[in-house]
Amino acid sequence: MDKVTYFDVEFANSKNKSICQIGIMTENYWDGEPYYPELNIYIDPEDGFDDFCIKIHGITKDKIKGAPAFPVVWKEIEKYFTNAVVIGHNVAGADLDALVKTLKRYNLDISELYYVCTLELAREHVPAYMISDYGMSSLCRYFGVDIDSEHDAFDDACACADLFKAILKAYSLDISDIKVKKYEGQAAREFDQFMAGPVARKAISEFYGVIIGFALDKEISQEEVAYLNNWKKRYAAYASQKEFAEILTILNNILADGIVTIDEISELQDIVKTYLDTTTTSPITLATQVLDGILKGIIVDGKVTEKECIDLRHWLYDNIYLADHYPFNRVMDILDKVLKDAVITTEESTYIVQAIKEILDPVNFLKQKVNSVEGKHVCLSGIFEHGSKAAVEEYIEQRGGFIDSNIKKSTDVLVIGNYECQAYTNGTYGTKVKKALEYNEKGCHIQIMKEADLFQ
């Protein structure tokens, strides 16, 4: 064992393990001389991010914006793995598994890989009663190894190098006696575009509402046909998922001749409704997502007709159980106002379109300037660029604010993280925003602001 490569990755999601950061360093073990430069590389995974993964490593789509895709990076780092022993913590189950899956995804050649796992090495030599667990952070504390920033791929790779040497030194191990394994792993699946279940259900619920909105005026405009084409392209990558398979098949057939009829939209509605009838989403959440979709569908062509308003009001009456759940009351108020004379003027159409845009993106339209959080009760929602929620809470408390873990009538300020969360139940906003808006409709005064405005 001469050439050793210390290696760690962070990945965007738990299914494909699409790599978004690589930390790597390689050296001659005997004299410590590097073969190639140390590298800390952010990568565009060209795949979706799990919220769970973001919470662990803090890497988001914004952070990797402009970063190279993996095939570009592989040309630079392939030599680090050639005729080398890869050393990492749980390296076979996590890092090499992610590497092989990514190589397969891009149809890149996979050379033979050999490794030593510090997790296996520690379990073999460190008594369980001496440490709380065999995680790398626990082992580093035990052996006095510093980790500059845990779950940063480069810092973890560096810490793993120090940990490996510390274990050998502590137990007087000769590196030539360390068992080197050939990476076999489970046969890594081909790359598979995926979408988490709740996110998929939200996308389909909203789409169902959109096509209801298209059909309200009994006409399908070119803008609406374009929307269907764009939706098909956006979700085509998920055709292997049962949630999307049949919908995409029907949609392909409908769009094949470039003409979309009301009858075809009705057929599409039936297919989507069949899927929604089998979901476990709560009725309130499902109906609210459908309503958001209807509102989107109505304004796709940039105008709103009298018939659309009347039929939308009928839909609201049929779903009266949504009363007091945002945005039901707000939409009903708008419709009652414009339908007083049973005529929708051009000015009223413009007003409705603008009002619906505000409803669909309330955070950006309703955000307010908050000059101070001192003495105020503040609630946080979303994923924060500044760091963990705990770090943002500490920032607020240092400035005299009080933290509410959930939205209450007495909450003064709701702060929304800069990074949009895929799992928001209502498109651009989540349940905390929805609850704040519902409280405000009942006379409360909860201010809503973005993270960026807080730190300004």
Side-chain angles (χ1 to χ4, degrees):
M1 185 191 299
D2 295 324
K3 183 181 178 182
V4 293
T5 294
Y6 303 100
F7 170 62
D8 189 84
V9 305
E10 301 297 338
F11 33 81
N13 56 64
S14 54
K15 184 167 185 179
N16 294 321
K17 293 186 177 177
S18 300
I19 297 173
C20 57
Q21 186 193 14
I22 285 179
I24 192 167
M25 52 192 290
T26 185
E27 65 182 13
N28 183 306
Y29 181 82
W30 302 107
D31 60 21
E33 287 297 314
Y35 281 91
Y36 313 114
E38 299 176 347
L39 294 176
N40 181 16
I41 307 173
Y42 286 98
I43 297 172
D44 182 352
E46 300 185 303
D47 194 10
F49 277 80
D50 275 354
D51 296 327
F52 173 75
C53 292
I54 292 174
K55 287 175 182 176
I56 290 176
H57 52 54
I59 301 171
T60 62
K61 285 187 176 181
D62 284 353
K63 194 162 187 176
I64 52 86
K65 190 175 182 179
F70 182 82
V72 176
V73 174
W74 183 243
K75 291 178 181 178
E76 184 178 1
I77 67 171
E78 182 179 9
K79 59 189 177 185
Y80 287 71
F81 297 90
T82 304
N83 299 320
V85 175
V86 179
I87 298 175
H89 201 72
N90 190 27
V91 68
D95 308 286
L96 289 178
D97 184 49
L99 178 67
V100 170
K101 283 182 176 179
T102 305
L103 287 166
K104 282 200 169 189
R105 170 191 176 187
Y106 290 107
N107 295 316
L108 296 169
D109 290 336
I110 304 171
S111 57
E112 290 188 340
L113 297 167
Y114 297 89
Y115 71 93
V116 170
C117 178
T118 52
L119 173 61
E120 295 176 3
L121 194 62
R123 282 177 173 162
E124 186 178 347
H125 295 282
V126 182
Y129 62 82
M130 299 294 292
I131 52 176
S132 57
D133 57 64
Y134 287 98
M136 193 166 78
S137 58
S138 297
L139 289 167
C140 285
R141 283 194 296 272
Y142 179 70
F143 286 103
V145 173
D146 291 331
I147 305 180
D148 291 339
S149 180
E150 193 174 350
H151 294 301
D152 174 272
F154 182 72
D155 289 343
D156 282 353
C158 293
C160 192
D162 293 338
L163 175 61
F164 177 67
K165 295 170 184 176
I167 293 174
L168 266 60
K169 181 178 180 181
Y171 297 99
S172 302
L173 301 175
D174 190 322
I175 193 170
S176 59
D177 295 329
I178 301 296
K179 184 177 180 181
V180 176
K181 295 184 178 181
K182 181 179 178 181
Y183 177 76
E184 302 290 352
Q186 299 176 353
R189 298 186 302 266
E190 294 294 335
F191 174 75
D192 180 23
Q193 284 275 16
F194 82 104
M195 184 179 288
V199 181
R201 290 194 292 272
K202 179 182 71 176
I204 294 172
S205 301
E206 186 180 274
F207 181 63
Y208 179 63
V210 167
I211 56 181
I212 290 176
F214 287 176
L216 287 180
D217 59 2
K218 305 301 181 186
E219 296 178 2
I220 305 300
S221 68
Q222 288 303 308
E223 292 88 351
E224 290 165 346
V225 174
Y227 183 97
L228 294 175
N229 273 299
N230 288 333
W231 196 92
K232 182 189 75 170
K233 291 176 183 176
R234 178 179 179 182
Y235 293 102
Y238 308 105
S240 62
Q241 286 187 236
K242 62 181 181 179
E243 294 93 335
F244 292 96
E246 190 172 5
I247 295 172
L248 287 167
T249 298
I250 296 295
L251 195 52
N252 278 327
N253 293 337
I254 289 173
L255 294 169
D257 60 1
I259 300 171
V260 179
T261 67
I262 287 293
D263 288 342
E264 288 174 325
I265 289 294
S266 296
E267 179 189 7
L268 184 58
Q269 281 184 32
D270 290 342
I271 294 297
V272 180
K273 188 175 187 304
T274 299
Y275 164 73
L276 293 179
D277 287 343
T278 66
T279 66
T280 56
T281 306
S282 76
I284 294 294
T285 298
L286 177 60
T288 302
Q289 291 170 348
V290 171
L291 176 55
D292 283 351
I294 293 173
L295 297 177
K296 279 188 176 181
I298 286 175
I299 65 171
V300 161
D301 57 5
K303 60 182 183 295
V304 179
T305 67
E306 177 187 333
K307 179 167 177 49
E308 286 173 325
C309 289
I310 292 172
D311 286 352
L312 174 57
R313 188 159 63 176
H314 286 160
W315 188 92
L316 293 172
Y317 282 137
D318 289 341
N319 294 271
I320 196 68
Y321 65 91
L322 285 177
D324 295 330
H325 291 278
Y326 185 86
F328 183 98
N329 292 353
R330 173 78 176 121
V331 176
M332 189 65 87
D333 288 344
I334 293 168
L335 295 176
D336 287 344
K337 178 179 178 180
V338 299
L339 287 172
K340 272 185 179 179
D341 57 2
V343 176
I344 303 296
T345 65
T346 302
E347 291 76 15
E348 286 173 329
S349 175
T350 302
Y351 159 73
I352 297 168
V353 170
Q354 182 62 20
I356 288 176
K357 287 180 178 178
E358 292 179 10
I359 288 169
L360 293 173
D361 192 9
V363 174
N364 283 320
F365 277 98
L366 302 178
K367 67 179 183 179
Q368 297 168 279
K369 182 177 177 63
V370 178
N371 293 316
S372 171
V373 295
E374 185 175 358
K376 295 181 180 178
H377 286 262
V378 183
C379 185
L380 305 182
S381 176
I383 299 171
F384 288 80
E385 181 180 7
H386 181 79
S388 66
K389 278 188 179 177
V392 179
E393 288 174 353
E394 182 181 357
Y395 177 90
I396 291 167
E397 289 172 337
Q398 287 175 347
R399 284 152 182 79
F402 305 97
I403 300 299
D404 287 348
S405 58
N406 292 300
I407 284 288
K408 306 174 185 177
K409 292 180 180 179
S410 57
T411 299
D412 298 299
V413 183
L414 175 61
V415 181
I416 313 300
N418 282 353
Y419 295 129
E420 184 175 318
C421 175
Q422 256 194 337
Y424 277 156
T425 55
N426 299 87
T428 60
Y429 62 98
T431 54
K432 287 183 178 178
V433 172
K434 185 172 182 286
K435 180 60 70 175
L437 295 170
E438 289 168 357
Y439 279 147
N440 285 348
E441 286 184 346
K442 297 175 182 178
C444 296
H445 300 283
I446 301 171
Q447 295 176 291
I448 298 175
M449 68 185 304
K450 294 285 284 186
E451 175 190 0
D453 299 319
L454 171 70
F455 286 98
Q456 284 176 1

